[in-house]
């Protein structure tokens, strides 16, 4: 059985990522990309679905582990009766084909180690042909995939697995390097595992040194850790950032909300850009902006809510019935049918992302404005229609309030593009549409009796996405309707001190067609902390932020959600949106931006010097 999510660490090479457990087992790895088939899929099944165990013989959980400062190099240590041993895990920045490097280091005494390699291509479904080559390395081939294992340790085949036992003494360094390449091509040159670790450390430390978060702030470590996660979730060839490196980790243990998150969501665009720019990572922000422009190019009617890491549009959803699921949570899914949904909010996110890029001084090509004009023209004729909403529910389209607010954002940013940046367009018409949307939302999306905005027109339910209303500038933070909405979210959507996306009961089952039940949504809880700061409830905001930081595992990683009853992280892991939200909220809590201005709870409608809180 897979471990609790808190017991996994992430390693990656900005093309893909692996999850390493406290027991020394790598239980998840897709090669060569985030969205490729997994060669280790024990996370969603059992050990025979693929894993790589490297640990002291007979040992259980590690004694301690940590990342090397400013890097994604994981060091895991065991204290045993015979001595202490360390396993160093990393994925070097890719030069040719992906490598996974593990180095066993003897720290004290003599420790007997056990090694078990179970390769199963295509999510556990393909047992490879394994043979030993003349240089002593192992070759495993199955269909289009090939893996080569290089190590001085003698290994043997046993029951469709590769096993070994060996001893390490103080001062020993025993390398293992697993290299992927297309099965129709020869393997790349034999790598030096120890040298690969040193190269990886240099690369990460050079990247981390660019972080502009205040060095004297108490949350710098948490911010840098989250930024490293975001960098690891970047698909380097294109600049896209995947939501998570995993699929089908359940939002409720044993439940069916198991989705594939190895893709890039447009709704995360502005959060991503804002976090990267504030932290000083302008080149990553520009790469993300360029990915966005390429991905959404074309007919505005075909705009999707998510794309593949390189901008792929077809993400067909399949169920893998041979995998038992994480803690028996089925079905296991690859692909994501929600990619074909219609969501109004993504038009606002695209417009807002490009607006924030202009505000930050990122140079914009004329083609970017031409694309925005096409999106706006489409949105003018479509904003009145119901949509599937920010949470990708599958229970039918509705007039979601947040979706209309983001349609307002699209028009507002278009007006600002003319007013602030001198671009050309039918600004009077956009102002009129902006006013019409605003009036409709305030009339039909607001429950005056309860003094709160609601999830959809005529609904009695709340939605945590409504916390974005003051942050995008739809209404001022101190507006009584905003204050009332914040209080309603605290009253009705907080469970165990954290925020649910929306209520989960029998009345809401029709929203997504699935039985009720999921964890508290961490990004929404960060949004509540920001909203509290904007209405001068700074102490409450700080207390909530501290509670959120307390949910990180020992390596600083967060999942999508938190099960307040089981006290466990749930959902795909680690989750980019959770870490993005942590970074943005930390800047807010610091009371300054990377440029030395008040952060204003990242009030995204503001231009420099305006509306600071």
């Amino acid at each position: 059985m897979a471990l609790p999510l808190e017991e996994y660490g992430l390693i990656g090479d900005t093309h893909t990522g692996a999850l390493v457990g406290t027991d020394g087992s790598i239980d998840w790895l897709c090669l060569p990309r985030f969205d490729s088939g997994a060669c280790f899929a024990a996370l969603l099944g059992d050990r025979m679905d693929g894993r790589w165990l490297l640990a002291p013989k007979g040992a259980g959980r590690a004694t301690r582990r940590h990342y090397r400062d400013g890097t994604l190099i994981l060091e895991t240590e065991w204290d045993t009766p015979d001595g202490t041993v360390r396993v160093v895990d990393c994925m070097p920045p890719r030069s040719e084909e992906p490598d996974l490097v593990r180095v066993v280091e003897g720290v004290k005494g003599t420790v007997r180690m056990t090694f078990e390699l179970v390769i199963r291509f295509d999510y556990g479904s393909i047992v490879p042909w394994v043979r030993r080559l003349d240089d002593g390395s192992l070759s495993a081939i199955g269909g289009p995939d090939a893996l080569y294992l290089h190590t001085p340790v003698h290994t043997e085949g046993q029951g469709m697995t590769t096993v070994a036992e060996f001893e390490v003494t103080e001062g020993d360094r025993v390398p293992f390097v697993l290299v992927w390449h297309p099965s129709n091509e020869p393997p790349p040159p034999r790598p030096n595992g120890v040298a690969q670790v040193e190269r990886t450390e240099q690369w990460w430390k050079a990247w981390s040194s660019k972080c502009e978060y205040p060095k004297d702030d108490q949350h710098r470590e948490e911010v840098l850790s989250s930024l490293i996660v975001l960098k690891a979730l970047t698909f380097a060839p294109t600049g896209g950032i995947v939501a998570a490196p995993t699929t089908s980790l359940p939002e409720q243990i044993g439940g069916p909300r198991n989705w594939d998150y190895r893709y890039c969501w447009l709704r995360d665009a502005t959060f991503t850009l804002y976090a990267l720019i504030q932290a000083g990572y302008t080149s990553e922000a520009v790469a993300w902006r360029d990915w966005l422009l390429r991905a959404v190019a074309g007919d505005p009617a075909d705009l999707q809510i998510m794309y593949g890491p390189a901008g792929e549009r077809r993400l067909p959803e399949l169920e893998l019935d041979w995998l038992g699921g994480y803690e028996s949570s089925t079905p296991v899914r690859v692909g994501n049918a929600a990619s074909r949904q219609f969501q109004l909010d993504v038009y606002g996110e695209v417009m807002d992302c490009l607006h924030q890029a202009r505000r930050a001084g990122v140079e914009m090509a004329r083609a970017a404005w031409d694309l925005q004009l096409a999106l706006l023209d489409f949105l003018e004729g479509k904003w009145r229609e119901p949509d599937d909403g920010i949470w990708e529910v599958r229970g039918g389209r509705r007039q979601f309030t947040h979706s209309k607010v983001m349609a307002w954002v699209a028009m507002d940013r278009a007006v600002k593009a003319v007013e602030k940046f001198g671009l050309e367009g039918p600004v009077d018409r956009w102002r009129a549409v902006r006013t019409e949307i605003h009036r409709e939302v305030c009339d039909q999306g607001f429950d005056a009796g309860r003094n709160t905005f609601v999830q959809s027109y005529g609904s009695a339910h709340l939605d945590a996405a409504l916390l974005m209303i003051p942050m995008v500038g739809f209404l001022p933070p101190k507006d009584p309707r905003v204050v009332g909405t914040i209080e309603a979210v605290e009253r009705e959507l907080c469970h165990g001190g954290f925020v649910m996306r929306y209520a989960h009961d029998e009345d809401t089952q029709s929203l997504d067609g699935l039985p009720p039940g999921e964890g508290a949504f961490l990004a929404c809880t960060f949004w509540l902390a920001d909203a509290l700061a904007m209405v001068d409830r700074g102490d409450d905001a700080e207390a909530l932020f501290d509670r959120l930081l307390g949910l990180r595992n020992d390596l600083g990683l967060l999942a999508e959600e938190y099960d307040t009853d089981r006290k466990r992280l749930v959902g795909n892991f680690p989750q980019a949106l959770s870490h993005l939200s942590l970074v943005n909220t930390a800047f807010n809590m610091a009371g300054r931006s990377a440029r030395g201005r008040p952060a204003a709870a990242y009030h995204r409608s503001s231009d420099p010097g305006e509306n600071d809180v």
Side-chain angles (χ1 to χ4, degrees), residues 550-585:
L551 300 185
R552 305 185 319 146
N553 74 356
D554 57 313
L555 298 175
L557 303 179
L558 288 170
E560 179 186 27
E561 300 182 3
Y562 181 69
D563 186 326
T564 57
D565 296 324
R566 291 183 171 90
K567 310 298 182 187
R568 291 182 55 183
L569 295 173
V570 289
N572 283 295
F573 174 87
Q575 175 79 0
L577 186 58
S578 297
H579 286 280
L580 286 167
S581 300
L582 185 156
V583 172
N584 286 328
T585 303

Side-chain angles (χ1 to χ4, degrees), residues 167-191:
E167 290 185 344
V168 289
T169 302
E170 183 176 342
D172 288 347
R173 301 173 83 183
V174 183
F176 297 80
V177 182
L178 193 66
V179 183
W180 178 95
H181 69 91
S183 61
N184 62 303
E185 297 179 5
R190 184 175 187 139

Side-chain angles (χ1 to χ4, degrees), residues 418-598:
V418 174
E419 294 176 343
K420 303 294 184 182
F421 298 102
L423 297 172
E424 296 182 357
V427 67
D428 290 337
R429 196 171 78 222
W430 293 335
R431 288 194 188 101
V433 175
R434 181 179 64 176
T435 299
E436 184 180 358
I437 297 173
H438 198 280
R439 183 181 300 114
E440 180 182 291
V441 169
C442 292
D443 287 345
Q444 300 188 44
F446 183 74
D447 184 337
R450 296 161 61 205
N451 191 33
T452 181
F453 285 94
V454 292
Q455 185 177 60
S456 60
Y457 293 174
S459 169
H461 295 291
L462 293 180
D463 190 321
L466 300 170
L467 293 168
M468 298 302 299
I469 285 175
M471 283 184 259
V472 299
F474 184 83
L475 286 174
K478 303 297 179 61
D479 187 291
R481 292 166 292 184
V482 170
V483 174
T485 300
I486 294 170
E487 293 173 349
V489 167
E490 288 184 284
R491 185 173 59 249
E492 299 182 30
L493 292 185
C494 281
H495 182 69
F498 303 97
V499 180
M500 309 295 292
R501 292 187 295 179
Y502 47 83
H504 276 264
D505 53 38
E506 297 302 327
D507 291 338
T508 59
Q509 180 167 346
S510 63
L511 190 65
D512 53 19
L514 295 173
E518 66 172 14
F521 202 80
L522 298 186
C524 293
T525 312
F526 282 111
W527 298 348
L528 177 58
D530 293 314
L532 292 172
M534 295 183 80
V535 295
D536 292 340
R537 292 175 55 186
D539 290 345
D540 293 336
E542 289 277 3
L544 181 54
F545 187 51
D546 287 342
R547 287 204 303 274
L548 282 160
L549 294 179
L551 300 185
R552 305 185 319 146
N553 74 356
D554 57 313
L555 298 175
L557 303 179
L558 288 170
E560 179 186 27
E561 300 182 3
Y562 181 69
D563 186 326
T564 57
D565 296 324
R566 291 183 171 90
K567 310 298 182 187
R568 291 182 55 183
L569 295 173
V570 289
N572 283 295
F573 174 87
Q575 175 79 0
L577 186 58
S578 297
H579 286 280
L580 286 167
S581 300
L582 185 156
V583 172
N584 286 328
T585 303
F587 270 108
N588 180 33
M589 295 299 112
R592 64 181 70 87
S593 73
R595 302 174 186 220
R597 303 190 309 272

Side-chain angles (χ1 to χ4, degrees), residues 255-479:
R257 290 184 174 84
N258 316 319
W259 314 112
D260 194 345
Y261 274 22
R262 298 172 299 160
Y263 306 114
C264 306
W265 265 255
L266 295 191
R267 72 167 176 244
D268 301 347
T270 310
F271 295 108
T272 304
L273 192 87
Y274 203 91
L276 292 172
I277 288 174
Q278 285 201 108
Y281 291 103
T282 306
S283 61
E284 283 80 5
V286 170
W288 170 246
R289 186 277 316 269
D290 290 344
W291 174 89
L292 179 70
L293 290 173
R294 292 191 303 270
V296 305
D299 188 342
D302 296 330
L303 188 71
Q304 297 184 185
I305 67 169
M306 72 183 82
Y307 296 86
E312 295 88 353
R313 300 193 175 203
R314 291 197 178 105
L315 311 175
E317 187 174 300
L318 305 172
E319 294 184 4
L320 309 184
D321 57 9
W322 62 86
L323 289 174
Y326 180 82
E327 296 195 19
S328 300
S329 304
T330 56
V332 172
R333 297 181 175 95
V334 296
N336 200 314
S339 62
R340 307 309 302 173
Q341 288 187 349
F342 172 57
Q343 292 185 14
L344 276 171
D345 70 287
V346 298
Y347 294 89
E349 292 294 357
V350 171
M351 291 294 297
D352 197 18
C353 181
L354 298 178
H355 174 69
Q356 300 302 332
R358 289 190 181 94
R359 283 182 58 198
V362 175
E363 186 176 350
M364 303 290 286
R366 172 67 196 188
W369 182 238
D370 291 339
L371 173 64
Q372 290 178 267
L373 290 172
L375 295 177
L376 290 162
D377 186 62
F378 175 81
L379 187 60
E380 280 190 75
K382 289 289 185 178
W383 72 265
R384 295 178 184 83
E385 295 185 9
D387 76 323
D388 294 296
I390 184 176
W391 305 127
E392 298 155 22
V393 295
R394 303 189 180 192
R397 295 177 178 177
R398 302 186 182 190
Q399 298 285 5
F400 286 103
T401 303
H402 172 265
S403 297
K404 306 302 185 186
V405 168
M406 293 309 296
W408 176 92
V409 167
M411 294 299 163
D412 179 73
R413 300 329 185 239
V415 171
K416 285 182 167 61
V418 174
E419 294 176 343
K420 303 294 184 182
F421 298 102
L423 297 172
E424 296 182 357
V427 67
D428 290 337
R429 196 171 78 222
W430 293 335
R431 288 194 188 101
V433 175
R434 181 179 64 176
T435 299
E436 184 180 358
I437 297 173
H438 198 280
R439 183 181 300 114
E440 180 182 291
V441 169
C442 292
D443 287 345
Q444 300 188 44
F446 183 74
D447 184 337
R450 296 161 61 205
N451 191 33
T452 181
F453 285 94
V454 292
Q455 185 177 60
S456 60
Y457 293 174
S459 169
H461 295 291
L462 293 180
D463 190 321
L466 300 170
L467 293 168
M468 298 302 299
I469 285 175
M471 283 184 259
V472 299
F474 184 83
L475 286 174
K478 303 297 179 61
D479 187 291

Side-chain angles (χ1 to χ4, degrees), residues 80-159:
T80 76
D82 300 315
T84 298
V85 67
R86 176 187 304 122
V87 175
V88 180
D89 289 314
C90 70
M91 295 188 73
R94 197 173 298 187
S95 54
E96 293 184 17
E97 305 297 355
D99 300 349
L100 196 164
V101 178
R102 314 192 78 180
V103 178
V104 182
E105 298 181 344
V107 178
K108 183 175 65 176
T110 299
V111 179
R112 190 155 189 83
M113 300 291 293
T114 186
F115 164 100
E116 181 187 57
L117 178 64
V118 184
I119 298 172
R120 297 291 185 268
F121 294 120
D122 193 29
Y123 305 102
S125 68
I126 297 176
V127 179
W129 172 41
V130 179
R131 59 194 175 98
R132 191 174 301 279
L133 304 181
D134 293 340
D135 65 357
S137 60
L138 286 183
S139 166
I141 295 176
D145 299 297
L147 284 170
Y148 278 74
L149 175 69
H150 304 280
T151 180
V153 173
H154 177 70
T155 62
E156 297 180 348
Q158 186 179 97

